[in-house]
Amino acid sequence: MCAYIKLISVFTFAIMLTSVGLSQSNYMASSPDKNIRLVVSRNDAGEIKYSLSYKNKDVIKPSSVGFILSKPEVKLTNFSIAAVDTSSFDETWKPVWGEVSIIRNNYEELTLHLKDRSGSGMVLNLIFRVFNDGIGFRYEFPKQDAVNYFIVADELTQFALSGDNKTFWIPGDYDSNEYPYNTTKLSEVDALTAANKEKDIAVKSLIGANAVQTPLMMKSTEGLYINIHEAALLNYPAMDLLLNKQTLTLTSTLVPDAVGNKAYMHAPCKTPWRTIVVSDKAADILASKLILNLNDPANIGDVSWIKPEKFIGVWWEMHIGKGTWDMASGKHAANTANVKKYIDFAAKYGFNGVLVEGWNDGWEDWFGNWKENVFDFVTPYADYNIDELTAYAKSKGVKIIMHHETSGAVTNYERWMDTAYRFMINHNMDAVKTGYVGKIIPRGEHHDGQWMVSHYQRVAEKTAFYHIMLDAHEPVHPTGLQRTYPNWLASEAARGTEFNNAPALGILPEHTTILPFTRLMGGPMDFTPGIFHMQLNQFIPQRTTRVRTTVAKQLALYITMYSPLQMAADLPENYEKYLDAFQFIVDVPVDWDDTKILEAEPGDFITIARKEKGKDNWFLGAITDESSRTMSTTLSFLDDGAQYEATIYKDAPNADWDTNPEAYVIEKKLVNSKTKLDISLAKGGGCAISIIKK
Ligand code: NOJ
Ligand code: CA
């Protein structure tokens, strides 16, 4: 590993431009490869604006920065520039786990040291980093004499788009990100109409007709792919974006707390990075490591206990009505005998973990009742013999994965956390799935506000202390914090498999071709793929819900939906019907040395190949939306001259997500780096290939 930082100069980048009597200072920085150009300017009114171009095409037109503070009352938009610093940075680092085993972090940095001219005397730094794949910028408030403690009423960061971009968006909402994506021109965003169609979301706090969430993915009329998000969201609320349809400008709107304040700040402090990833190739967006690079390295000591893993779970059977979480129904799924069957299945097929939901007392009345003490996280149901199951799992070499549904009673969870994690350690568990269904009580904080953002951080830190791996459901959108907290393996934070069972919109075939360009930009998703039985009426005949993919596409999702934590979500008995296809899930790794994005277009298709960590085997996944297509690729990523055996799991010629989703064909053949594959993907279909070196 190598690292160097070079402080170049102060003021050298300032160019004074004078036109029509106005003086304007411009500061510039370019990406190491010179494709991206950032210009930051200050006008006579003291306003600072930044703009961005890629290969001379406009990405962001001059856009404002600043804040409105409510305590003290200060509008931070009129600045003098005390100094400007520039520097370069280039290092490589190794993630504990990931899509690749080595990441290069290479950028040019431009820092403007600003002073408020409106009388508060406040100083702040505006820091830009320009990478080959985009930029990040953040505000930093040094410890200062003038004002050290302040309340943010609004952050005024803007993103003025250069045209009416094609946009993949979900409605702005302070509490939920589990929406289906809409694809419209930016000027056609209609968040309230879209959100109101959706009836199956536990708690909605819509911001307005023109508000959208990040990561926001766009494609410009000039063919540029642009992604706006944030990195290193800590001790600050999440950012949503408010669109001005006349100017096509997005302005940050921060998630408020229970009394309407946005952020409580105590200098020295800093905001998350605002990120813009850009390229003329869609594949580059998926390959970008910009958001990870903007997060701090891990500082949690020994990480050898952190292990990517596959798991099964007592889970889908509750969602599709075979059993229940609660015991009173008489159909309690998490009973000792049933969990033993799952442990047997996991042991037989080599899964490390068995998630058990509904193991603990409280599910009879857990949701929406504004109750503080529904769960204590340490009291099993009477028919769940935890000591017997701990011993049984241990004897089979399997670990039970803990489930902590908070039902929104997060203060209650905070009271129980240490006890609950010690209880896990005492029962040989090293992974927890948390959940935040419903309103956050007792104060009415939002899922995406500063208090909850700090809660998720406390959970990440506390679980790290106990050597516990974390998977958070219903949290704020991820922002690359897995670099800092590598035990935080995955989050949900988007519409996952469970929504196939939602009566309203469910999951459309295109959804998984959009998620990697949106939600996954921030980090791995616990999407829970692997459903083989597509009609969800196995146990409740009148149910009309269904999965809108083929079986082959479910397999491909293990590659295209990156996560170091992957569930095989369907019932063991459904896998036993299709053991030949299940073999791909058994074989697919969850940690990688390398990743090649072979083809990609948001909303249409994605093909990715990944090299198994520490081995010479490759795994390929290709998915399409509702249209059939041919996936064409040459396996040029394989070692020259070497032979591999490929097992191709593909849609049968008559497969179709709607009329024939469970029809697949498995084919084996020898391949090498010259082999060209042309494989038909059905409507809503896909293809998964394991390529094992001989
Ligand atoms: C929602 C989660 O996403 C799901 O996985 C879980 O089963 C339920 N909440 C119950 O906690
Ligand atoms: Ca959920």
Side-chain angles (χ1 to χ4, degrees):
M1 273 199 261
C2 69
Y4 65 86
I5 304 180
K6 193 170 48 161
L7 202 59
I8 301 180
S9 60
V10 178
F11 296 119
T12 49
F13 282 66
I15 301 169
M16 299 301 287
L17 297 177
T18 308
S19 63
V20 284
L22 289 177
S23 75
Q24 173 168 316
S25 332
N26 279 1
Y27 305 88
M28 277 169 275
S30 298
S31 55
D33 68 2
K34 308 285 183 253
N35 283 337
I36 294 182
R37 200 168 123 103
L38 167 79
V39 178
V40 185
S41 63
R42 177 184 170 278
N43 63 20
D44 267 0
E47 293 164 332
I48 304 286
K49 298 203 173 183
Y50 75 97
S51 61
L52 190 70
S53 62
Y54 177 86
K55 294 186 182 167
N56 295 320
K57 291 176 181 164
D58 284 344
V59 179
I60 303 287
K61 294 192 300 180
S63 297
S64 308
V65 298
F67 292 90
I68 297 176
L69 310 185
S70 62
K71 213 170 187 179
E73 274 185 32
V74 180
K75 190 172 182 206
L76 286 174
T77 52
N78 179 356
F79 302 106
S80 58
I81 300 178
V84 177
D85 297 329
T86 62
S87 62
S88 305
F89 189 78
D90 192 359
E91 70 164 12
T92 54
W93 59 279
K94 290 186 174 168
V96 177
W97 43 262
E99 295 176 90
V100 294
S101 54
I102 292 182
I103 294 175
R104 185 169 179 193
N105 185 9
N106 181 205
Y107 57 81
E108 299 291 320
E109 186 169 279
L110 174 70
T111 302
L112 282 76
H113 299 271
L114 305 176
K115 182 157 190 195
D116 174 40
R117 293 207 307 179
S118 74
S120 75
M122 284 181 78
V123 294
L124 66 155
N125 301 326
L126 181 58
I127 306 168
F128 291 90
R129 289 184 181 170
V130 189
F131 302 78
N132 289 341
D133 48 351
I135 67 162
F137 61 97
R138 77 171 357 158
Y139 307 88
E140 188 183 75
F141 293 87
K143 192 166 167 45
Q144 50 196 284
D145 297 334
V147 177
N148 273 312
Y149 175 68
F150 55 96
I151 298 177
V152 175
D154 270 308
E155 183 188 311
L156 303 175
T157 306
Q158 294 196 327
F159 306 85
L161 280 314
S162 62
D164 201 2
N165 298 338
K166 180 180 182 183
T167 305
F168 302 85
W169 57 272
I170 56 174
D173 187 318
Y174 298 146
D175 278 291
S176 185
N177 35 37
E178 299 191 350
Y179 287 98
Y181 284 90
N182 301 273
T183 308
T184 66
K185 285 185 179 169
L186 188 57
S187 63
E188 288 163 2
V189 162
D190 182 358
L192 294 182
T193 306
N196 287 330
K197 274 194 232 150
E198 194 41 70
K199 306 281 179 240
D200 304 310
I201 287 175
V203 42
K204 281 186 199 167
S205 306
L206 297 170
I207 302 171
N210 292 351
V212 294
Q213 298 193 37
T214 74
L216 185 72
M217 185 66 213
M218 290 174 284
K219 184 178 184 182
S220 77
T221 47
E222 294 188 303
L224 294 185
Y225 296 87
I226 303 163
N227 184 283
I228 298 178
H229 189 38
E230 57 183 321
L233 171 58
L234 291 170
N235 197 15
Y236 200 76
M239 174 178 75
D240 289 275
L241 297 170
L242 263 186
L243 170 67
N244 177 325
K245 289 190 178 174
Q246 273 68 51
T247 60
L248 298 176
T249 297
L250 298 160
T251 303
S252 64
T253 176
L254 302 177
V255 176
D257 76 349
V259 296
N261 292 323
K262 301 289 171 66
Y264 299 84
M265 307 292 278
H266 194 171
C269 56
K270 51 205 174 193
T271 69
W273 296 93
R274 279 62 190 95
T275 61
I276 304 164
V277 178
V278 59
S279 177
D280 50 9
K281 292 184 208 65
D284 291 349
I285 305 295
L286 299 184
S288 171
K289 297 289 171 280
L290 182 146
I291 287 172
L292 267 183
N293 277 329
L294 288 169
N295 277 271
D296 287 337
N299 187 18
I300 60 169
D302 173 29
V303 290
S304 61
W305 52 276
I306 300 171
K307 299 257 189 294
E309 67 177 25
K310 282 183 285 186
F311 68 105
I312 59 166
V314 182
W315 180 74
W316 194 229
E317 66 170 275
M318 285 89 95
H319 283 270
I320 62 175
K322 180 182 178 190
T324 60
W325 282 269
D326 71 282
M327 209 171 105
S329 70
K331 290 195 334 181
H332 185 218
N335 63 73
T336 307
N338 194 34
V339 174
K340 279 188 178 172
K341 281 194 214 152
Y342 276 83
I343 292 171
D344 290 342
F345 186 84
K348 183 167 175 192
Y349 293 106
F351 290 83
N352 287 38
V354 176
L355 168 71
V356 184
E357 295 201 1
W359 68 277
N360 57 330
D361 198 49
W363 288 89
E364 278 68 23
D365 185 19
W366 69 284
F367 168 62
N369 291 325
W370 205 257
K371 277 196 192 163
E372 261 286 79
N373 298 319
V374 173
F375 297 115
D376 67 10
F377 312 96
V378 292
T379 306
Y381 272 123
D383 63 347
Y384 186 83
N385 188 332
I386 191 160
D387 292 326
E388 188 180 333
L389 285 166
T390 302
Y392 192 73
K394 207 169 187 174
S395 75
K396 297 274 177 170
V398 168
K399 288 201 168 169
I400 294 174
I401 296 178
M402 175 49 93
H403 185 223
H404 288 163
E405 174 54 67
T406 65
S407 66
V410 182
T411 307
N412 180 51
Y413 187 45
E414 295 245 353
R415 282 194 286 267
W416 280 101
M417 261 156 38
D418 281 292
T419 310
Y421 299 146
R422 281 196 291 263
F423 180 86
M424 284 178 59
I425 302 302
N426 290 338
H427 293 90
N428 201 33
M429 296 185 219
D430 64 357
V432 62
K433 169 179 170 179
T434 55
Y436 299 93
V437 174
K439 284 193 194 308
I440 306 301
I441 62 173
R443 279 199 301 270
E445 300 294 345
H446 292 295
H447 284 72
D448 297 353
Q450 185 182 20
W451 192 83
M452 281 301 287
V453 165
S454 296
H455 167 76
Y456 308 124
Q457 182 187 356
R458 280 192 289 278
V459 174
E461 284 170 356
K462 217 174 245 310
T463 49
F465 174 80
Y466 287 103
H467 287 196
I468 289 171
M469 295 177 283
L470 173 64
D471 170 21
H473 276 231
E474 297 87 34
V476 68
H477 54 212
T479 57
L481 287 169
Q482 66 271 25
R483 180 175 182 193
T484 314
Y485 303 107
N487 64 309
W488 191 348
L489 292 185
S491 292
E492 186 191 37
R495 174 162 295 216
T497 288
E498 63 180 352
F499 268 89
N500 285 304
N501 196 35
L505 295 178
I507 297 188
L508 295 174
E510 67 170 12
H511 186 62
T512 45
T513 67
I514 300 173
L515 279 173
F517 287 96
T518 51
R519 156 67 182 80
L520 271 73
M521 292 298 290
M525 177 171 176
D526 185 26
F527 181 78
T528 67
I531 304 298
F532 279 13
H533 193 101
M534 305 306 179
Q535 291 292 344
L536 303 179
N537 60 358
Q538 270 176 291
F539 303 98
I540 303 179
Q542 64 274 22
R543 271 211 184 154
T544 54
T545 53
R546 59 168 306 172
V547 179
R548 297 184 179 95
T549 75
T550 63
V551 165
K553 180 169 175 177
Q554 288 290 320
L555 299 180
L557 294 175
Y558 287 88
I559 305 298
T560 60
M561 297 286 293
Y562 169 68
S563 178
L565 184 70
Q566 289 281 22
M567 186 176 201
D570 211 337
L571 311 180
E573 58 263 39
N574 288 342
Y575 289 135
E576 265 149 6
K577 279 187 242 159
Y578 302 106
L579 279 177
D580 55 351
F582 183 59
Q583 190 61 42
F584 182 81
I585 304 179
V586 170
D587 294 340
V588 70
V590 278
D591 202 11
W592 310 98
D593 271 336
D594 201 5
T595 287
K596 306 276 182 208
I597 315 292
L598 300 173
E599 307 177 296
E601 182 63 28
D604 294 338
F605 55 85
I606 295 175
T607 304
I608 297 178
R610 302 190 196 270
K611 181 176 169 291
E612 182 173 5
K613 186 95 162 240
K615 301 245 176 79
D616 287 324
N617 306 324
W618 286 78
F619 291 79
L620 183 148
I623 59 168
T624 182
D625 61 0
E626 66 288 344
S627 305
S628 57
R629 68 184 300 270
T630 301
M631 185 280 288
S632 298
T633 192
T634 302
L635 305 179
S636 53
F637 47 84
L638 299 179
D639 288 347
D640 275 339
Q643 287 284 350
Y644 298 77
E645 183 180 63
T647 307
I648 302 174
Y649 304 77
K650 60 185 181 182
D651 296 320
N654 58 353
D656 181 312
W657 73 265
D658 192 15
T659 56
N660 197 13
E662 284 145 28
Y664 60 85
V665 173
I666 300 174
E667 189 190 318
K668 280 189 193 287
K669 66 191 236 182
L670 291 179
V671 297
N672 58 40
S673 61
K674 307 265 174 344
T675 305
K676 177 153 193 284
L677 294 177
D678 296 295
I679 295 176
S680 300
L681 313 183
K683 294 177 179 171
C687 149
I689 312 179
S690 60
I691 308 172
I692 310 299
K693 197 168 193 181
K694 295 203 48 106

